Amino acid sequence: ALLVFVVANVATAASGALFKPGNWYEGLNHPPFRPPNWLFGPVWTVLYCMIAAAGFLVWREAGWSGAALPLAVYFAHLVLNFAWSALFFGARRPDWAFWEVIALWMSIVATIAVFAPLSTVAAWLLVPYLAWVSFAGFLNWALWRLNPQVLPGPDDASR
């Protein structure tokens, strides 16, 4: 079962490899609080390990059938996590990505809430993730506001 959670998180993390920041991202106006690019990889690696461990702990406590709802919420939140990179870097839509990161944030809160009765440790393992996504959401908002020129206009049918 641990392998299932690790693979699910590796697949989620793959969105960062599929939709890379690249020159488009580097060409944006960045807020002064933007972390250095090298920091994102290590932070996300640690977070994905914690997310996988949290899912595994809940499974170990209640099994697939005993934790059906919490694990459904967990796997749904991973889909939202994957989607953010596709929207921000793939579609180059900081506006859409901002609204999506709000949904992701709410799904993390929901995951913590449904995990807590089954495993307090699992719920706490997700708190740093929630904090990072809170910061990432603020960074996303700042990038959106600082770069109105990156959004397609009404005559831009290419997007």
Side-chain angles (χ1 to χ4, degrees), residues 12 21 40 48 71 97 120 123 145:
T12 302
F40 288 93
Y48 282 125
L71 293 175
T120 305
R145 303 316 305 162

Side-chain angles (χ1 to χ4, degrees), residues 11-146:
T12 302
S15 66
L18 292 172
F19 307 103
K20 296 179 182 179
N23 293 331
W24 172 80
Y25 178 73
E26 289 307 318
L28 296 177
N29 296 315
H30 296 276
F33 59 86
R34 168 194 173 200
N37 288 343
W38 63 264
L39 184 63
F40 288 93
V43 167
W44 276 111
T45 299
V46 170
L47 292 174
Y48 282 125
C49 289
M50 294 171 74
I51 297 164
F56 175 74
L57 289 173
V58 166
W59 170 84
R60 191 179 69 182
E61 187 63 35
W64 296 114
S65 60
L69 176 63
L71 293 175
V73 172
Y74 172 88
F75 286 108
H77 114 269
L78 289 179
V79 171
L80 288 170
N81 182 303
F82 182 94
W84 184 88
S85 292
L87 292 173
F88 193 93
F89 297 120
R92 298 181 177 178
R93 292 299 304 252
D95 54 341
W96 294 350
F98 174 72
W99 298 112
E100 195 280 344
V101 80
I102 290 173
L104 173 60
W105 189 92
M106 290 188 301
S107 75
I108 297 167
V109 170
T111 304
I112 291 169
V114 296
F115 274 21
L118 296 172
S119 172
T120 305
V121 172
W124 278 108
L125 280 170
L126 298 176
V127 171
Y129 174 41
L130 181 64
W132 183 257
V133 169
S134 298
F135 171 73
F138 182 60
L139 179 59
N140 185 151
W141 177 82
L143 288 163
W144 174 24
R145 303 316 305 162
L146 289 170

